[in-house]
Amino acid sequence: MTVVDDRIAMADISTERLDEWFERLERMPVPEGFRAEIVGGTVYTTPQRGTHWEIIFEIASDIRFRFGRRAKVLSDVRIDFPGHENGFCPDVVKMRDGAKEDDTGRWRHEDVEFVAEVISQGTAANDYGPKKLAYAAAEVPLYLIADPYQGRCHIFTHPKDGDYTTETRVVFGEDLDLTDTVLGLTLRTDTFPRD
């Protein structure tokens, strides 16, 4: 077996394990309002607070308004990303035009052009750490972290060699100028609540 074949075989094993874990999670009595995802082979469940949902809704609404109903804007949907057993369920995702689910009914990380994560206290380290690196490795051109505890947004662009080369910080209340990105819009943050 060649190195390429080993990587493909490992990816298949990882996908099979993720499938098995997500099937188990679906059968578990997880309380309503909680979400589950797998980061680096570890299962995380977090409650969705009102603050969290309000920010997600604002971001998704602005994107939907900009691109229309035909745009694939998803929330809390499993997408497998590069790295060891990464089955993420991002808060907001915009897929490339023409993206379609694969034969298994899942979206491909290669078709993701924007991800937004809203920080939860228990999983903030994931969003700033392994998830950011996985999004960069997948060459997602635009990654936004909205942090209601800091009251600011972090915008990551220009993925290269498994990390982002550019980070911009904007405090809540200021506009996020994303006109020179794949979104081509300005997001208002004056209505983002703080925790």
Side-chain angles (χ1 to χ4, degrees):
M1 203 181 267
T2 66
V3 174
V4 173
D5 291 335
D6 286 342
R7 288 185 197 152
I8 292 169
M10 288 175 67
D12 290 342
I13 290 169
S14 181
T15 299
E16 288 173 12
R17 283 182 52 124
L18 285 171
D19 290 345
E20 181 182 325
W21 288 3
F22 275 101
E23 285 173 18
R24 287 182 181 182
L25 287 169
E26 288 175 7
R27 291 191 304 262
M28 288 177 59
V30 177
E32 191 167 325
F34 276 71
R35 62 178 254 187
E37 64 184 349
I38 300 171
V39 179
T42 302
V43 176
Y44 292 88
T45 59
T46 54
Q48 185 153 128
R49 300 171 339 278
T51 300
H52 193 96
W53 173 243
E54 285 181 49
I55 295 171
I56 291 169
F57 186 77
E58 290 291 329
I59 294 169
S61 295
D62 284 353
I63 294 169
R64 180 54 64 91
F65 181 77
R66 162 71 172 86
F67 290 96
R69 296 187 58 82
R70 288 179 294 164
K72 295 291 183 212
V73 180
L74 310 171
S75 180
D76 212 15
V77 173
R78 174 187 166 188
I79 301 172
D80 297 345
F81 282 89
H84 175 69
E85 296 174 345
N86 286 327
F88 301 162
C89 300
D91 291 325
V92 180
V93 172
K94 182 186 179 300
M95 306 302 288
R96 298 182 198 287
D97 290 344
K100 295 185 186 320
E101 294 172 306
D102 65 18
D103 293 341
T104 64
R106 283 200 287 287
W107 297 97
R108 299 171 352 108
H109 69 79
E110 293 90 349
D111 292 327
V112 174
E113 63 181 12
F114 168 74
V115 173
E117 297 284 7
V118 181
I119 296 297
S120 295
Q121 273 187 319
T123 59
N126 289 338
D127 295 329
Y128 285 110
K131 290 176 81 173
K132 180 177 91 94
L133 295 176
Y135 295 144
E139 298 184 354
V140 174
L142 178 59
Y143 175 41
L144 167 67
I145 294 176
D147 190 330
Y149 301 99
Q150 295 179 359
R152 77 172 67 140
C153 292
H154 301 260
I155 302 106
F156 300 94
T157 57
H158 304 98
K160 183 178 181 183
D161 299 328
D163 203 354
Y164 286 97
T165 60
T166 306
E167 177 183 359
T168 305
R169 295 179 187 160
V170 175
V171 296
F172 284 11
E174 294 180 8
D175 289 348
L176 293 177
D177 182 1
L178 303 174
T179 53
D180 290 334
T181 70
V182 293
L183 289 185
L185 59 81
T186 299
L187 287 173
R188 294 181 53 194
T189 67
D190 58 338
T191 59
F192 286 9
R194 292 185 63 151
D195 268 338

